[in-house]
Amino acid sequence: MGESQTRSFVLRGDVCYNRSLTEFDARRDAYVVCVDGVSQGVFDELPDRYQGLPVVDCAGRLVVPGLVDLHVHAPQYTFRGIAMDLELLDWLNTYTFPEESKYADLAYADEAYGYFAQDLRASATTRAAIFASLHVPATALLMDKLEATGLKTYVGKVNMDRNSPDSLTDGSAQASLAATCAWLDQVDGAYRNTRPIITPRFTPSCTDALMEGLGALAGERGLPVQSHLSENLTEIAWVGELCPWAACYGETYDRWGLLGGADKGARKGGADKGGATERGTGPGVTERGASKAIMAHCNYSSPEEVELLRARGTYVAHCPQSNANVASGIAPVRRYLDLGMDVGLGTDVAGGASLSMFRGVTDAVMASKLRWRCVDQSLAPLTIQEAFYLATLGGGSFFGRVGSLAAGYDFDALVLDDSGIRSPRQLGVEQRLERFCYLHGEGGRIEHKYVAGNKVF
Amino acid sequence: MGESQTRSFVLRGDVCYNRSLTEFDARRDAYVVCVDGVSQGVFDELPDRYQGLPVVDCAGRLVVPGLVDLHVHAPQYTFRGIAMDLELLDWLNTYTFPEESKYADLAYADEAYGYFAQDLRASATTRAAIFASLHVPATALLMDKLEATGLKTYVGKVNMDRNSPDSLTDGSAQASLAATCAWLDQVDGAYRNTRPIITPRFTPSCTDALMEGLGALAGERGLPVQSHLSENLTEIAWVGELCPWAACYGETYDRWGLLGGADKGARKGGADKGGATERGTGPGVTERGASKAIMAHCNYSSPEEVELLRARGTYVAHCPQSNANVASGIAPVRRYLDLGMDVGLGTDVAGGASLSMFRGVTDAVMASKLRWRCVDQSLAPLTIQEAFYLATLGGGSFFGRVGSLAAGYDFDALVLDDSGIRSPRQLGVEQRLERFCYLHGEGGRIEHKYVAGNKVF
């Protein structure tokens, strides 16, 4: 049986998904049709034209889109849930850099990435943008393991050439770029599910020369970019010292084409389909740089920086659990959404302890309420449907037509068993999804998972 | 075999527990000795005098004190994890009061409380202070079910005689007090594990006449008290209107002896052992009122109110998840600890979605970091050991010598299997506990649970 046949079927269950940030569809006992890995839409009655397809009967179960983790550090999975007593820069130097140094040892990487890949496969995540370490062999090994999960992932070899410990540095911009090219030659196009993404760690770890080279590489190879931006106040001040030429932290990426292109039309087609676009500032950066970029956090972006992100179409990866654990603060997500910007959610393991994107959804809601209460009442808290949008369509569009069960989207889906969350109340489908997000770990279970129509389990 | 024999044994495992707020003991491969339900202490080598006791070998498992939920609403368990889009007063009127009204139906209560008791039994909680609804038959039924779990609990019939819907009111102060007396006559002393606690809902729901009567009842019967205090800014303003005679919200309880007695020496012996104590204000309140009281939240207590709570020895039940979900804010827990006040943790289901006190521990840490970051940098974030103290000794002392594995404490213990939280790293016992708190739902498992030396499972 060919793949186009195995990837064509009907799921029956209680379906809910976002059509957009503001449109949420929830239907009891409905049918989602998948043909060749692409959703044909959700139907109350199965249309005649699909009667010949096999029906997977999940009556009574929730059927929702797969969740997208837009920011997660694979090598940090080994110390998730510990070492939460420091702020960002001290946390990096004390816990993170020493741990990432271990991935020079391929045996260590093999065990650690094995757990990460297995647990990610079992999680709610169907797509992820992942930081590896700076080690090329370990990063390729991670990509091998992720490829085998069936999940769709971007993986980045991390670049670092300054303010880094001797045990964790590429040594120089030239060496970092050479290692990156060698890595790309090895992995780019080598997988069905896993693709490389250009990954400067963050400005404090990368010289301008390295940034310039990475921007050029992203443009030449048509690769997307991921990094960190304006997570912590001390970090931002440090970037100001390191790059006095930049009007804002964001400009330290943008100057080299690392915030993504501004052509939203092309960009929407998928991270690696959009072309590089002209940008106005910086010497020699026209016609180069990434088509698409993710910046994690953006907790303290200045108005100028926000405008830059908006103009470039940069994706913001909101990581509420990490931002609490490392005491960074709470990002003004509502503001970014009001501006029409692309925002997704990240677990940011190990800043975040949990790999669960359901947890990410509820953390986003809770953080937004505390921000409303404690910081700024001009930004209304997120609703559960808005947070679910962030975890599906919001981050999903980075991967193409991903994050919804509406017709035309890649068929990424979860079948959720919530029968273990017991109550005498009869709840609506929408309420059951909300409850599952909060209580997935207390009686909920992911029964099946599909990525682009392929069954993961 | 007599109970004194079955309750005498040795647990072998990786032990960690608080000796106090600032003293944390973590030992690999140690022995905790239980004789007649009371801990004899933790030992690296098993002393000769205990060699005859049966050893429960939990080598490689974590052994920690049972956790204490100092504030949870049993009838709200039916809608945990949904209906999180309103602030406190609207949330009560829209979701909570209609739900609690259903407990007039004993069949509904039977199913709902059955789930609650079963899930609480399976949880990390060994002791809990629980709000029921105002219905006497349903409250007695809840107590029957809780008694059978083996957990040690206080349960309160809720009192309400104003600002309440027709479907959820005792009707008058007199009727409310009469119902409470009838309930107490039925349940007080009727159980081994479960005891009544006087439970005015909160000041907006209770007239002064009802509060006065409840204070007298607590004093006469030697019963503790639980209620809510200074959770939400709108609530506090409303109390100011309802009780213009009170200098602070706390005084609306204290005037009637409902904040507990000031005699800390007597109080430390257990909630129902301390005598009523003299208080200085209010007509005719000398020699009456509760020996011990829990006030949930205290998010916005004025300096005057804090001084009142401190003077009375009132327990503060900190409920960080609920305070985020209902957008109430974040309590200044560090301030209360610095003042030497008694503070415990509450899940506050269904303001809190999760019944897990491990989640409560990490929520307390995370909330304190966000408060430090967003509100007030004079109050340092809580450490994981401090938050674990809150969940064990902090709330445990309300129940007597409870919340530690040190010698002389009631033997409440959990045996935790963390082998499903995989990592190539070898972690210390203390780190493994921290990780379990964060990731109990992602690979952790409660293997055994003991309350006062009795095995629950």
Side-chain angles (χ1 to χ4, degrees):
Chain A
M1 196 156 58
E3 182 180 77
S4 67
Q5 286 172 288
T6 60
R7 293 168 70 211
S8 298
F9 57 93
V10 177
L11 263 188
R12 177 188 174 190
D14 299 329
V15 181
C16 41
Y17 62 102
N18 286 78
R19 293 186 165 279
S20 69
L21 175 61
T22 54
E23 296 164 297
F24 190 82
D25 191 18
R27 306 197 204 179
R28 190 182 297 273
D29 202 15
Y31 299 85
V32 199
V33 177
C34 173
V35 172
D36 292 343
V38 176
S39 177
Q40 308 301 304
V42 179
F43 305 94
D44 291 323
E45 305 287 338
L46 187 62
D48 285 344
R49 63 188 180 281
Y50 302 124
Q51 293 285 353
L53 294 175
V55 176
V56 182
D57 192 346
C58 301
R61 304 299 195 226
L62 292 166
V63 178
V64 304
L67 305 189
V68 178
D69 188 345
L70 212 51
H71 185 65
V72 56
H73 293 263
Q76 298 174 19
Y77 192 61
T78 50
F79 72 102
R80 67 199 184 280
I82 59 172
M84 306 273 207
D85 57 337
L86 297 174
E87 278 194 89
L88 177 65
L89 299 178
D90 291 333
W91 179 83
L92 286 170
N93 286 317
T94 307
Y95 302 120
T96 308
F97 291 165
E99 180 63 22
E100 290 195 14
S101 300
K102 297 179 185 173
Y103 289 78
D105 174 357
L106 214 53
Y108 188 83
D110 187 55
E111 184 178 1
Y113 283 153
Y115 297 145
F116 174 76
Q118 288 165 28
D119 289 355
L120 194 70
R121 178 180 179 278
S123 79
T125 299
T126 46
R127 313 228 175 191
I130 301 170
F131 280 56
S133 68
L134 55 70
H135 311 91
V136 170
T139 302
L141 180 65
L142 173 62
M143 294 177 82
D144 291 346
K145 290 181 186 293
L146 287 167
E147 173 72 8
T149 64
L151 311 188
K152 300 284 186 186
T153 54
Y154 283 106
V155 176
K157 172 229 171 317
V158 170
N159 297 96
M160 304 168 70
D161 74 337
R162 69 171 167 186
N163 299 313
S164 306
D166 290 344
S167 61
L168 194 72
T169 175
D170 285 320
S172 68
Q174 201 169 14
S176 189
L177 292 167
T180 306
C181 286
W183 166 65
L184 290 173
D185 291 342
Q186 179 182 349
V187 302
D188 197 8
Y191 305 101
R192 289 172 52 94
N193 301 317
T194 300
R195 292 180 172 186
I197 182 169
I198 297 295
T199 307
R201 174 161 222 124
F202 68 157
T203 299
S205 298
C206 300
T207 59
D208 289 353
L210 177 53
M211 292 287 202
E212 181 174 15
L214 292 173
L217 206 48
E220 287 160 16
R221 301 223 182 195
L223 294 173
V225 166
Q226 60 181 355
S227 195
H228 301 89
L229 180 61
S230 296
E231 177 175 3
N232 167 290
L233 294 169
T234 310
E235 169 212 19
I236 294 169
W238 192 19
V239 170
E241 293 168 18
L242 290 166
C243 302
W245 53 265
C248 64
Y249 187 169
E251 203 180 317
T252 69
Y253 297 108
D254 188 59
R255 179 166 183 177
W256 319 110
L258 293 164
L259 287 187
D263 182 352
K264 281 204 141 195
R267 202 170 45 74
K268 285 289 186 190
D272 34 6
K273 288 181 192 159
T277 53
E278 210 179 76
R279 48 197 72 246
T281 60
V285 294
T286 306
E287 297 288 337
R288 79 186 192 200
S291 59
K292 216 162 178 177
I294 301 165
M295 288 288 140
H297 307 301
C298 304
N299 295 327
Y300 299 101
S301 293
S302 63
E304 183 174 15
E305 183 166 289
V306 172
E307 176 48 30
L308 188 58
L309 297 171
R310 193 202 59 74
R312 296 289 179 248
T314 312
Y315 278 72
V316 174
H318 175 46
C319 306
Q321 187 179 147
S322 169
N323 293 335
N325 285 333
V326 198
S328 299
I330 305 171
V333 177
R334 167 75 64 201
R335 180 173 303 141
Y336 301 150
L337 293 175
D338 286 348
L339 288 168
M341 292 166 59
D342 284 305
V343 185
L345 291 183
T347 59
D348 194 23
V349 164
S354 171
L355 199 60
S356 167
M357 283 296 299
F358 283 117
R359 174 73 192 255
V361 169
T362 57
D363 283 335
V365 173
M366 293 170 75
S368 74
K369 288 173 176 172
L370 289 177
R371 194 178 195 285
W372 173 81
R373 175 82 270 158
C374 299
V375 180
D376 177 4
Q377 298 206 7
S378 76
L379 299 180
L382 299 176
T383 66
I384 186 76
Q385 291 82 9
E386 287 170 333
F388 198 70
Y389 164 88
L390 296 178
T392 54
L393 269 173
S397 64
F398 190 80
F399 292 79
R401 289 277 286 174
V402 170
S404 179
L405 296 174
Y409 283 83
D410 283 6
F411 191 88
D412 294 4
L414 305 173
V415 177
L416 308 176
D417 175 7
D418 65 341
S419 62
I421 311 175
R422 297 175 304 169
S423 170
R425 289 182 57 152
Q426 296 303 313
L427 300 182
V429 175
E430 201 165 334
Q431 290 176 309
R432 285 169 54 207
L433 174 62
E434 179 176 14
R435 190 179 63 166
F436 196 95
C437 290
Y438 282 95
L439 297 171
H440 56 95
E442 294 172 51
R445 188 171 66 88
I446 303 173
E447 190 165 279
H448 299 301
K449 177 167 167 174
Y450 298 85
V451 178
N454 293 306
K455 188 171 182 177
V456 177
F457 59 82
Chain B
M1 197 155 56
E3 182 180 76
S4 66
Q5 287 173 285
T6 60
R7 292 168 71 211
S8 299
F9 57 93
V10 177
L11 263 188
R12 177 188 175 190
D14 299 329
V15 182
C16 43
Y17 63 102
N18 285 80
R19 292 187 166 280
S20 69
L21 175 61
T22 55
E23 296 164 297
F24 190 82
D25 191 17
R27 306 196 204 182
R28 190 183 295 272
D29 202 16
Y31 300 86
V32 199
V33 177
C34 174
V35 172
D36 293 342
V38 176
S39 177
Q40 308 301 303
V42 180
F43 307 94
D44 291 323
E45 304 287 337
L46 187 62
D48 285 346
R49 64 186 182 282
Y50 302 125
Q51 293 286 352
L53 294 176
V55 176
V56 182
D57 192 346
C58 301
R61 305 298 196 225
L62 292 167
V63 179
V64 304
L67 305 189
V68 179
D69 189 344
L70 214 50
H71 185 66
V72 55
H73 294 263
Q76 297 174 20
Y77 192 61
T78 49
F79 72 102
R80 67 198 182 281
I82 60 172
M84 306 274 208
D85 58 336
L86 297 174
E87 279 195 87
L88 177 65
L89 299 178
D90 290 332
W91 179 84
L92 286 170
N93 285 317
T94 307
Y95 303 119
T96 308
F97 291 165
E99 180 62 24
E100 290 195 14
S101 300
K102 297 180 185 172
Y103 290 77
D105 174 356
L106 214 53
Y108 188 82
D110 187 54
E111 184 179 1
Y113 284 152
Y115 297 144
F116 174 76
Q118 289 165 28
D119 289 354
L120 195 69
R121 178 180 179 278
S123 79
T125 299
T126 46
R127 312 227 175 193
I130 301 169
F131 279 57
S133 69
L134 55 70
H135 312 91
V136 170
T139 302
L141 180 65
L142 172 62
M143 294 177 82
D144 292 345
K145 291 180 186 294
L146 287 168
E147 173 71 8
T149 64
L151 311 188
K152 301 283 187 186
T153 53
Y154 283 106
V155 176
K157 172 229 170 319
V158 170
N159 297 96
M160 303 169 71
D161 74 337
R162 68 171 168 185
N163 299 314
S164 307
D166 291 344
S167 61
L168 193 72
T169 176
D170 285 321
S172 68
Q174 201 169 16
S176 188
L177 291 167
T180 306
C181 286
W183 167 65
L184 290 173
D185 291 341
Q186 179 183 347
V187 302
D188 198 7
Y191 305 101
R192 288 172 51 92
N193 300 318
T194 299
R195 294 178 170 186
I197 182 169
I198 297 295
T199 306
R201 175 161 222 122
F202 69 158
T203 300
S205 297
C206 301
T207 59
D208 290 352
L210 177 53
M211 291 288 202
E212 182 174 14
L214 292 173
L217 206 50
E220 287 159 16
R221 302 221 182 198
L223 294 174
V225 166
Q226 61 182 354
S227 194
H228 301 90
L229 180 62
S230 296
E231 178 176 1
N232 166 290
L233 294 169
T234 310
E235 169 211 18
I236 294 169
W238 192 18
V239 170
E241 292 168 20
L242 291 167
C243 302
W245 52 266
C248 64
Y249 188 170
E251 205 180 315
T252 69
Y253 297 108
D254 188 60
R255 179 167 183 174
W256 320 111
L258 292 164
L259 287 187
D263 181 354
K264 279 206 142 194
R267 201 170 45 74
K268 284 291 184 190
D272 35 6
K273 289 181 193 161
T277 53
E278 211 179 74
R279 49 196 72 247
T281 60
V285 294
T286 306
E287 297 288 340
R288 79 183 191 202
S291 59
K292 215 163 180 177
I294 301 165
M295 288 288 141
H297 307 302
C298 303
N299 295 327
Y300 299 101
S301 293
S302 64
E304 183 173 15
E305 184 167 288
V306 172
E307 175 49 30
L308 187 58
L309 297 171
R310 195 201 59 73
R312 295 289 180 248
T314 311
Y315 279 71
V316 174
H318 176 45
C319 305
Q321 188 179 147
S322 168
N323 293 336
N325 284 333
V326 198
S328 298
I330 305 172
V333 176
R334 168 76 62 202
R335 181 172 302 140
Y336 302 150
L337 294 175
D338 286 347
L339 289 168
M341 293 166 59
D342 284 305
V343 185
L345 291 183
T347 59
D348 195 23
V349 164
S354 171
L355 199 60
S356 167
M357 282 297 298
F358 283 117
R359 174 72 192 255
V361 168
T362 57
D363 283 334
V365 172
M366 293 170 74
S368 74
K369 289 174 176 171
L370 289 177
R371 195 180 193 284
W372 173 81
R373 176 81 269 159
C374 299
V375 180
D376 176 5
Q377 297 206 9
S378 76
L379 298 180
L382 299 176
T383 66
I384 187 76
Q385 290 83 8
E386 289 171 332
F388 199 69
Y389 163 88
L390 295 179
T392 54
L393 270 173
S397 64
F398 189 80
F399 292 79
R401 290 276 287 173
V402 170
S404 179
L405 295 175
Y409 282 84
D410 284 5
F411 190 87
D412 293 5
L414 305 173
V415 177
L416 308 177
D417 175 7
D418 65 342
S419 62
I421 311 175
R422 298 176 303 169
S423 171
R425 288 182 56 151
Q426 297 302 314
L427 301 182
V429 175
E430 200 166 335
Q431 289 176 310
R432 285 168 54 206
L433 174 62
E434 179 176 14
R435 190 180 62 166
F436 197 95
C437 290
Y438 281 95
L439 297 171
H440 57 95
E442 293 172 51
R445 188 171 66 88
I446 303 172
E447 189 165 280
H448 300 302
K449 178 168 167 173
Y450 298 85
V451 178
N454 294 306
K455 187 171 181 177
V456 177
F457 58 82

